[in-house]
Amino acid sequence: MGTDTVRTPAAGEAADRRREQRGWYFYDWACSVYSTSVLTVFLGPYLTSVAKSAADADGYVHPLGVPVRAGSFFAYSVSLSVIVAVLLMPLVGAAADRSGRKKPLLAAAAYTGAAATTGMFFLGGDRYLLGGLLLVVANAAQSVAMMLYNCYLPQIAPPEERDAVSSRGWAFGYAAGSLMLVVNLALYLGHDTFGVSESMAVRICLASAGLWWGAFTLVPLRRLRDRRTVAREAALPGLRQLAATVRDMRRHPLTLAFLLAYLVYNDGIQTVISQASVYGSEELGLGQSTLIGAVLLVQVLAVAGALAMGRLARTYGAKRTILGSLAAWTLTLGAGYFLPAGAPVWFFVLAAGIGLVLGGSQALSRSLFSHLVPPGKEAEYFSAYEVSDRGMSWLGPLLFGLTYQLTGSYRDAIISLVVFFVVGFALLARVPVRRAIGDAGNPVPEKI
């Protein structure tokens, strides 16, 4: 027998690990279409129009008898979904760690979200309550599923591979978001050519994201493996479990210090993503087609940015690369302040800058945090990470809104967000990550 046909145990283990990693990438490929096409582009304006068609003469709808401005219904629904997710994630995370059965929980969360998103096809007429319910279910389910997906990272990648694996996952997600957004925009902009109304085109776009999510989730469910753990005490109710997780994290203060830094700079990232279109339309006077094109450019360049920053982390370490990205965010916002009105080219340049640092800063933050999680508590700690990601990103929009209210200038509002990147940089720079990794009981990579 030739040596090329011999599969040594080490080679077999590496091949199995690569196969599992490729399966893991596909969950980002599956669910990112929801974030891009549904949340970022189509659902907000469409659900608002549905709510307005159901509103009374004063512009109010009355879910459960509560008067709500139709224009605020989408924002309130997103907020409610965050509250539901914050209650569910610690409970599900603790249950996943205690049972070792992450995959059935991932399947349940993913297919609940995919089914709710597919059901958005039926958001015709004045069915705003159905839209709000489906949004709450889909958004909360996505948060829970992402928490479970993230906690696989320490199990499928040894320390030296984690930055690259996390970056590839983000790149897969942005690539899928870009691909599906192109298809959806072709249908939406050319709906007359395809013989469908604008409303029907939007509903098809929404439902297609759910079908995509459900179909490609089959790949990670086939390839990811559960690792059995020793049974521990039962999980507590949602907020009590989150409090118990935070108390446990107090035994690892350096992990908490990183989480605080991440909470601050990620709040800035999320606010830039959510408010850039407002800045473009209200301050720069740009049209909807320009703004959607900028969203697509961000998605495409985020693929390259995530992969490039993953490579930089191999040379300089994840911490230094993240710090570099925060400096780049600061420079990008500074440049954004000086953008001339009515100049789409310069807005696209700003979008390109955002895209190049967006994916990498998020991917490397995830991989760096994975080194700081005590073994056996991956889902529990990643639930706190996701709560920081999704449940705490309110200070940025508040500062943006207050700055605009006080100054009447969106330029001042956008530049005010620099504080999140400057403070986040300072907090992260002070975290001794090598000692933090050792204190968590994990091996320290050569480059970190």
Side-chain angles (χ1 to χ4, degrees), residues 59-83:
Y60 285 85
V61 290
H62 299 269
L64 304 178
V66 179
V68 172
R69 279 197 180 277
S72 300
F73 182 73
F74 174 73
Y76 288 150
S77 298
V78 172
S79 297
L80 179 58
S81 74
V82 171
I83 293 170

Side-chain angles (χ1 to χ4, degrees), residues 392-416:
M392 303 298 182
S393 295
W394 56 272
L395 273 175
L398 177 63
L399 177 62
F400 186 92
L402 285 175
T403 305
Y404 177 73
Q405 183 172 327
L406 293 172
T407 67
S409 168
Y410 281 107
R411 294 185 187 273
D412 292 338
I414 202 77
I415 200 67
S416 71

Side-chain angles (χ1 to χ4, degrees), residues 39-337:
L39 269 189
T40 304
V41 177
F42 289 109
L43 184 59
Y46 183 70
L47 183 55
T48 300
S49 70
V50 171
K52 286 182 176 178
S53 70
D56 60 21
D58 296 321
Y60 285 85
V61 290
H62 299 269
L64 304 178
V66 179
V68 172
R69 279 197 180 277
S72 300
F73 182 73
F74 174 73
Y76 288 150
S77 298
V78 172
S79 297
L80 179 58
S81 74
V82 171
I83 293 170
V84 173
V86 167
L87 291 172
L88 286 177
M89 284 191 291
L91 180 64
V92 175
D97 283 335
R98 283 158 173 73
S99 67
R101 292 177 58 79
K102 297 178 177 67
K103 192 156 68 168
L105 293 170
L106 174 61
Y111 281 107
T112 297
T117 306
T118 305
M120 291 175 186
F121 178 79
F122 300 102
L123 298 187
D126 58 359
R127 297 175 183 165
Y128 76 96
L129 272 178
L130 175 63
L133 175 63
L134 293 176
L135 170 58
V136 169
V137 172
N139 222 31
Q142 193 217 24
S143 296
V144 172
M146 280 302 295
M147 176 268 295
L148 292 164
Y149 163 75
N150 285 338
C151 74
Y152 271 100
L153 181 58
Q155 299 180 351
I156 64 170
E160 66 275 8
E161 292 182 5
R162 250 173 246 173
D163 293 337
V165 170
S166 183
S167 297
R168 288 188 201 114
W170 277 103
F172 261 62
Y174 282 117
S178 303
L179 175 63
M180 201 62 173
L181 188 55
V182 168
V183 174
N184 286 337
L185 287 177
L187 173 61
Y188 174 72
L189 297 175
H191 60 86
D192 288 335
T193 305
F194 294 103
V196 297
S197 66
E198 182 178 310
S199 172
M200 176 61 76
V202 172
R203 289 158 55 196
I204 291 172
C205 292
L206 295 173
S208 67
L211 294 173
W212 177 288
W213 187 355
F216 284 104
T217 295
L218 291 171
V219 179
L221 292 180
R222 284 180 62 88
R223 294 196 172 187
L224 291 173
R225 294 186 295 112
D226 277 334
R227 277 79 171 169
R228 295 294 179 183
T229 59
V230 178
R232 300 189 303 193
E233 67 273 14
L236 299 169
L239 286 178
R240 287 177 59 196
Q241 182 58 59
L242 178 59
T245 301
V246 172
R247 281 196 302 272
D248 186 76
M249 291 179 77
R250 289 171 63 185
R251 297 168 47 226
H252 303 283
L254 296 180
T255 299
L256 264 180
F258 171 81
L259 198 58
L260 175 61
Y262 173 75
L263 186 154
V264 172
Y265 68 73
N266 183 64
D267 200 351
I269 291 172
Q270 298 303 322
T271 307
V272 172
I273 293 170
S274 65
Q275 301 302 322
S277 61
V278 175
Y279 181 65
S281 61
E282 299 298 325
E283 184 69 35
L284 304 181
L286 302 176
Q288 186 67 17
S289 60
T290 298
L291 299 177
I292 292 176
V295 170
L296 182 57
L297 179 63
V298 168
Q299 295 290 312
V300 171
L301 289 181
V303 177
L307 295 175
M309 287 181 64
R311 289 182 178 273
L312 285 173
R314 276 187 241 167
T315 303
Y316 300 105
K319 178 183 173 180
R320 287 182 180 176
T321 307
I322 295 171
L323 290 172
S325 78
L326 298 182
W329 274 106
T330 303
L331 292 173
T332 301
L333 287 182
Y337 178 85

